[in-house]
Amino acid sequence: MVRGKSTSGSGLPENYEGIVNLITAQYPNLSSGFQKIARFVTQNPNVVALESISVIALRCDTHASSLVRFAQEFGYSGFKELQAVFQTRLATAAPGFRERVKALDGELSRHARSGNLGYLRDLVVRDIAALQDLLERVPEDTLTGAARLITGADTIYIAGQLRSEPIALLLRYLLTMLHRRVVLLDPAGGLAQEMAETMTRGDVLVAIAFRHYAQEVVAISERAAASGTPVIAITDSQLSPIAKDAKALFTVPEDEYSFARTLAAPMCLVQCLAVASAAILQRGRDEMPRIPTVTEKDRSRGAAGPRRRRAEGT
């Protein structure tokens, strides 16, 4: 992220990028209450720009006075002045997650709103919104850089626990099918951190963690940084503990911490990383990059067997 400009004489950021950089730099020194506010404002910039202080406080589960003190912590006279910085982003920003949900909700209003089908409808709406947000959020150069790290690594280590585990498993499968050497730092047996000690500068770690961050994944990410192993981080915010040492950072914000947290966006992201890696590995082919399935490989091996036997005269 590019560091923003400062206002003349005040030294305070005058744009969104600048204030997020400032919050990120000061985040480790903030109180737990201010850290909660910091996470909210960086993940919900449209809400901060458009809503009243009382609504923002309610959404953030804090008091309006705390938002004022938070703004003053960074040198602003009050929350209104901080909010004005977030409003500068709206001219070029894509709709936020909630705006997307509201629009999609209207489009799909003909579907059932109650019962189990209603649950499905709500989940689909949220997943579509999350995927649209992902498309707007991920830079091309970050995708390219991450794919180069993956294809250039001797060994790809993957760490993802709790609800991030399915994402880690999918990425391991896809990269294994591309004939990459992959090590899943699985907590089974309690040896994940010991296995991580074998990481070198020639490897890469893909660390996946969302709130509340799995401590073992955080520890593995810190160990990778200490050993000089590049880290690709997939997380919910640049304030995440695995973000600070990332060579390539992908943020997939979560609007709410509820039972229905979607995995659609991070799952799509790791599929894209695999396809981008395949494009590098399969460069020169006429067709689009693709990842073979186990079934296809089994058929290929089965067809190769008779050919070898015929060639050997058996």
Side-chain angles (χ1 to χ4, degrees):
M1 183 174 288
V2 179
R3 187 167 294 279
K5 300 177 182 178
S6 296
T7 53
S8 176
S10 70
L12 298 177
E14 65 180 7
N15 58 27
Y16 172 74
E17 290 78 9
I19 187 58
V20 170
N21 279 328
L22 180 59
I23 291 172
T24 302
Q26 296 298 323
Y27 182 79
N29 303 319
L30 298 176
S31 67
S32 59
F34 279 0
Q35 285 184 344
K36 180 172 74 171
I37 295 173
R39 290 192 297 269
F40 181 86
V41 300
T42 54
Q43 292 187 43
N44 300 275
N46 286 10
V47 173
V48 176
L50 296 172
E51 298 289 358
S52 67
I53 189 171
S54 58
V55 171
I56 296 169
L58 183 64
R59 291 278 308 277
C60 189
D61 191 26
T62 189
H63 297 288
S65 59
S66 296
L67 293 176
V68 173
R69 290 195 298 273
F70 177 82
Q72 292 171 342
E73 176 76 12
F74 291 93
Y76 295 95
S77 60
F79 188 75
K80 275 289 185 185
E81 189 178 3
L82 174 62
Q83 188 177 43
V85 178
F86 280 80
Q87 289 168 348
T88 63
R89 174 180 176 273
L90 292 180
T92 57
F97 180 85
R98 281 192 170 264
E99 289 82 1
R100 295 181 193 277
V101 168
K102 187 179 296 184
L104 289 164
D105 192 61
E107 292 177 19
L108 301 178
S109 59
R110 64 183 182 277
H111 295 295
R113 286 183 173 273
S114 60
N116 292 328
L117 192 57
Y119 298 146
L120 176 61
R121 176 187 171 282
D122 290 342
L123 288 168
V124 168
V125 166
R126 294 176 64 82
D127 281 357
I128 293 172
L131 289 167
Q132 289 178 334
D133 188 63
L134 177 71
L135 191 59
E136 297 287 345
R137 183 176 292 275
V138 176
E140 169 71 24
D141 58 347
T142 305
L143 276 174
T144 302
R148 286 174 177 165
L149 287 173
I150 289 171
T151 55
D154 295 328
T155 302
I156 304 156
Y157 291 83
I158 303 175
Q161 298 179 13
L162 304 177
R163 75 181 188 91
S164 299
E165 185 178 22
I167 307 166
L169 290 171
L170 175 62
L171 184 59
R172 178 185 66 169
Y173 168 78
L174 295 172
L175 295 179
T176 299
M177 298 308 292
L178 288 175
H179 299 290
R180 309 307 299 160
R181 185 184 296 117
V182 183
V183 174
L184 180 66
L185 297 173
D186 194 311
L191 294 175
Q193 292 192 55
E194 283 66 25
M195 292 167 64
E197 290 182 355
T198 63
M199 293 186 296
T200 69
R201 293 178 180 272
D203 303 322
V204 67
L205 169 68
V206 182
I208 310 166
F210 301 91
R211 299 253 358 259
H212 300 276
Y213 312 101
Q215 289 305 305
E216 193 164 40
V217 175
V218 174
I220 289 170
S221 180
E222 291 173 347
R223 182 164 297 183
S227 66
T229 304
V231 177
I232 299 171
I234 300 174
T235 187
D236 55 356
S237 166
Q238 69 182 72
L239 302 179
S240 161
I242 68 170
K244 63 182 185 299
D245 297 315
K247 187 79 170 177
L249 173 62
F250 298 96
T251 57
V252 186
E254 295 181 303
D255 183 63
E256 293 178 357
Y257 305 127
S258 64
F259 173 80
R261 287 185 259 191
T262 176
L263 291 181
M267 284 289 198
C268 184
L269 176 60
V270 297
Q271 289 181 80
C272 180
L273 286 174
V275 172
S277 299
I280 295 174
L281 296 170
Q282 299 167 7
R283 187 171 291 154
R285 296 188 181 184
D286 293 333
E287 66 267 19
M288 293 287 289
R290 65 187 308 275
I291 299 170
T293 65
V294 172
T295 305
E296 288 173 332
K297 288 196 170 188
D298 285 344
R299 284 202 298 265
S300 177
R301 283 193 290 265
R307 285 198 297 270
R308 281 197 300 270
R309 287 193 292 271
R310 286 196 297 270
E312 294 167 359
T314 59

